Every structure is written in structure tokens, then in C-alpha cells.
Amino acid sequence: MRILGKRPGSPDPKRHLWVLGFIAPAIALLPSQLVLRTGWPVFWWSGPMVVFIVIPVLDRLVGEDRRNPRDEDYALLSNDRYYRWCSYLFLPVQLVGLIVACAMWSGHELSVVDKLGLTASVGFVSFISINAAHELGHRVEKLERWLSKIVLAQSGYGHFTVEHNRGHHVWVATPGDHSSARYGESLWEFLPRYLVTAFRAAIILERDRLRRKGQGWWSIRNQILQTWSITVALFGGLIAVFGWGILPYLLLQAVIGMALLKTIGYIEHYGLLRERKPNGAWARFSPRDSWDCDWLVTNIFIFNVQRHSDHHMNTGRRYQTLRCSEEAPQLPAGYMTMILCAAIPPLWRRVMDPRVLAHYDGDITKANIQPSKRAKILAAHGHHELNQVGGFEVRDPWIDSVESR
């Protein structure tokens, strides 16, 4: 099913749908209202229910939207401040939901199980909020960059923008990128690898940036310390008001948010590898190096992130102007459905491994393969190349960076 034609006179047929994105941060407010009106404690878990049941079902009912903005409308859409306010207003709704949740965590009316359900729902808001921070963090305007840091405070994910913008976008779809999952690598192998290596990469990137400016790590201009300081201030203020009893729930919702966000990272480039130039350098990123999908409902909730190839090709484009590409390989379902798929490795391999192989016309040597499983995977496909990608030794650029110092 395709969505209806665009409204006459409007360059964006989805213009008034973007305000529905406010439903996402309001997920933290839904549980208490639903439980109050129904008496069913299961609704403390309404966050996971909305994300993993409601959104995938609506994706299938509403369908895909693969239409692109016209070139002549690009400037108009980019400069339309309506779209900016759709992302700006995410923050106050998010903070209200967090404060209400803290009040409930601090009370004695809920059981531990009910509080955990509420924590999961708040964690899902934290996850979706990182997508809002991602959109704001790519902007050049100082206001939007600071809003991104404030949005990230709930998840405690202060180093995300540094590593994502200056690490992932440089090394995407190469063996050295921490956020690009390798063929044969399960989600449960990817998450700990990413969390450790991406944290280290962010520290190195920011340290080197400050050094080039003649400043030390403890500079007030340290972007990682700025965002971490906002998290400390937010959590400290909430604990001062509601007590230390909320701390475990605050930490758990942050972990849930980070884990879900990086599960999307696992999905976006799984098994994909940029081509090599004759001199060994990586070729420029192309749409073929990212998994795309255009399920409309999910895109509305996460600011068009599923049009991921265009985001990498044109990082300055705002979410409302992102385009789908015919060159990009397509996921079989929206991100929310694929998160569930990724959580079950055998199912993930059954769904995605054949798609990676088909994308490279059956030549598995063109894929980004998990190094520890490389020999086995290549042998299974009739190849015997070891520890190399396209004839070049696999190296982690961050290891090289550290070893050179």
C-alpha cells in the first residue's frame, strides 16, 4: 500500500505527519494513563509494546513511501523552520516524561516489576531521543548542537556525536569502523565490541582535536565533558528531588536507550564493505554501502534515519529532505522489526546473510567479514583468503593511531 498523493501546493506530502513524532517522547507518559484507565499493569510496558508491535503493524498497513523531494523544493524544505520545531519540541516532552517517571520510581505504589516496565518504556524514549540528537548533532547551528547535547543527557551517551560524526562517518563500511557490523558477527558480539572501541575512538578524536587547538583534555571546550556534565547535572538534580532510589532505574533506562540505538547501528551497514582503490585507499561512500528502507511510520518516528545512504552521502541534509536511492540495498522490514530479528542471531543470519551475498552477486570476498570467522566463512564459499579484505590486510585505524604515539 502506498500513501496518498501529496497535498496540492505543498512540496512535502508528509508535512503534517512529522508532528506525530511527538508520540515517541510521550511514550513515557502513556503507561500511567493506560494503567489508570484499564487497571492492567501490563501497560507499564507500553514502550516496548508501541515500538515492537504497534509501529511494525502500522508500517505494514500504511506501507512504504519511496517518493523523493523535488530538487527545486530542496531549499524551501531546508529553510522551513516548521521542521526544526518538530525536532526542537521533542526535548521538553522528553524531559516531562522523565520527571514523571522519576516521581513514580521514587514512590511505593508500584511493584518492582511495574517499575521495571516503566523503566523499559522510558528507555525506549531514550533510544528514540538519540535519533533526535543525531539529527540535531549534524547541524552547523550552535543552538541545535547544544540541543543535541541536552537530548543525549538522558541516555548518558555524551560521546556519541563525537564518535559518530568524526569516526563513523569517516570509516563507515570498512573493517576499522566500530559502528559497521561485519558479516557473521552477531548482535551480541557487536554490542560489546562497539561500546568499548567507540568509546576509545571518541576519546582519541576529541583529545587530538583539542591538541590541535593547543588545549588540554580538561578544557571547557571538550565536547565530551560538556555532554557528560549535562548528564551529571540532570541525574544529580533528579536524585536531589526524588532520592537515591531512582538511580538504578535512571542507569537502566540509559543502558536500554544506548543498546537499542546501537542495534540500529548494527542493522544499518551489516556486512557491507566499501570498494578499494588501486592504491589501497577506501573508495568514497556510495549508496551501495548502507541498508535502506522506506516504511513510512518508522521514518516518521525516527526522523527519516532509514534513508540512511543519503544521510551518509549528504550529511548536511535535514531529515525532511533525505532521499531514497535505487542503488542502496533494501531491508525487508522497518528498523523496529529488524531490531527483533537481530536479537535472534539464527533468524538474523537466515534473513540477512543471503541478502548480503546477493548484493555482491555471490562474491563473499566483497563483504565486510568478521575477522574471527573469516577463514571459515570464506572456506564455506570456496575461498581461502586469510586476514585480508580485497587483497589488503585488515587493520583497525584506532589501533594504528594509538601505536603511533
Side-chain angles (χ1 to χ4, degrees):
M1 175 180 176
R2 302 286 179 176
I3 67 168
L4 299 177
K6 70 178 184 179
R7 182 178 178 180
S10 170
D12 179 13
K14 300 185 289 287
R15 178 181 177 84
H16 299 299
L17 294 179
W18 296 110
V19 296
L20 297 177
F22 292 142
I23 294 174
I27 286 175
L29 300 171
L30 285 178
S32 60
Q33 298 304 307
L34 291 173
V35 173
L36 179 65
R37 284 165 171 72
T38 66
W40 296 350
V42 69
F43 283 118
W44 291 114
W45 300 83
S46 59
M49 294 164 65
V50 168
V51 170
F52 289 146
I53 300 175
V54 176
I55 292 178
V57 168
L58 289 176
D59 265 340
R60 290 293 174 177
L61 291 176
V62 175
E64 295 178 286
D65 173 31
R66 292 187 57 79
R67 293 171 300 174
N68 289 324
R70 299 181 304 174
D71 291 340
E72 56 267 34
D73 292 328
Y74 176 79
L76 178 63
L77 287 172
S78 296
N79 296 321
D80 190 337
R81 300 194 69 82
Y82 163 81
Y83 296 97
R84 301 188 193 190
W85 282 105
C86 285
S87 57
Y88 296 170
L89 293 176
F90 191 102
L91 178 58
V93 180
Q94 172 192 355
L95 291 178
V96 169
L98 180 61
I99 292 170
V100 170
C102 287
M104 294 180 180
W105 289 328
S106 66
H108 302 288
E109 295 82 5
L110 304 184
S111 68
V112 172
V113 173
D114 290 343
K115 288 183 179 181
L116 289 175
L118 177 59
T119 303
S121 294
V122 175
F124 277 70
V125 173
S126 187
F127 149 58
I128 297 174
S129 74
I130 301 174
N131 287 282
H134 169 262
E135 167 64 22
L136 294 167
H138 274 291
R139 309 283 70 87
V140 297
E141 292 83 354
K142 288 185 178 180
L143 170 63
E144 293 180 273
R145 286 180 175 270
W146 273 104
L147 286 175
S148 173
K149 294 172 184 178
I150 296 172
V151 171
L152 286 171
Q154 179 176 335
S155 62
Y157 202 178
H159 61 281
F160 167 74
T161 300
V162 170
E163 190 280 327
H164 178 83
N165 291 14
R166 291 186 263 142
H168 173 57
H169 271 265
V170 174
W171 295 102
V172 59
T174 70
D177 178 40
H178 320 288
S179 196
S180 295
R182 294 120 179 212
Y183 183 93
E185 181 179 33
S186 75
L187 172 65
W188 309 111
E189 294 170 311
F190 169 80
L191 285 177
R193 173 177 73 82
Y194 169 81
L195 291 173
V196 172
T197 57
F199 176 80
R200 181 182 62 173
I203 298 297
I204 293 173
L205 284 164
E206 188 61 4
R207 180 195 65 191
D208 290 351
R209 185 187 72 85
L210 291 169
R211 281 181 178 175
R212 289 193 297 271
K213 293 181 175 292
Q215 298 174 345
W217 175 257
W218 299 106
S219 167
I220 194 173
R221 299 185 183 280
N222 185 318
Q223 295 179 3
I224 294 177
L225 294 185
Q226 288 172 354
T227 49
W228 285 349
S229 297
I230 298 172
T231 295
V232 171
L234 175 63
F235 283 20
L238 292 171
I239 290 170
V241 174
F242 297 105
W244 284 97
I246 68 171
L247 182 58
Y249 302 108
L250 279 175
L251 296 177
L252 180 57
Q253 64 83 28
V255 170
I256 291 171
M258 285 189 285
L260 287 170
L261 187 278
K262 290 326 300 175
T263 301
I264 282 184
Y266 172 82
I267 292 166
E268 288 168 336
H269 304 282
Y270 175 77
L272 302 181
L273 184 70
R274 278 150 59 183
E275 294 182 355
R276 288 275 201 177
K277 296 179 181 179
N279 64 359
W282 293 107
R284 186 175 182 272
F285 180 92
S286 78
R288 289 177 52 81
D289 303 321
S290 175
W291 294 98
D292 278 14
C293 56
D294 279 291
W295 297 97
L296 177 61
V297 174
T298 297
N299 266 337
I300 291 296
F301 276 91
I302 58 174
F303 298 97
N304 251 351
V305 170
Q306 294 180 133
R307 293 189 167 188
H308 202 63
S309 61
D310 193 29
H311 167 66
H312 274 281
M313 294 287 292
N314 303 281
T315 56
R317 283 186 176 171
R318 293 182 178 272
Y319 68 92
Q320 68 271 21
T321 65
L322 290 174
R323 305 170 66 88
C324 60
S325 171
E326 296 299 329
E327 297 178 54
Q330 298 294 309
L331 292 170
Y335 279 1
M336 305 311 176
T337 303
M338 297 308 294
I339 287 175
L340 292 174
C341 183
I344 308 172
L347 176 61
W348 176 262
R349 291 195 298 270
R350 182 171 182 176
V351 170
M352 290 303 299
D353 284 5
R355 284 176 165 80
V356 175
L357 195 61
H359 180 60
Y360 292 116
D361 298 321
D363 187 354
I364 195 60
T365 64
K366 294 181 179 179
N368 185 8
I369 302 174
Q370 172 75 336
S372 63
K373 301 176 182 178
R374 186 172 181 81
K376 181 178 179 180
I377 290 172
L378 291 177
H381 290 83
H383 299 278
H384 302 285
E385 178 186 56
L386 296 177
N387 300 320
Q388 291 188 338
V389 177
F392 296 90
E393 183 182 5
V394 173
R395 293 285 293 173
D396 185 329
W398 303 112
I399 294 177
D400 292 340
S401 175
V402 172
E403 290 177 347
S404 66
R405 301 181 188 280

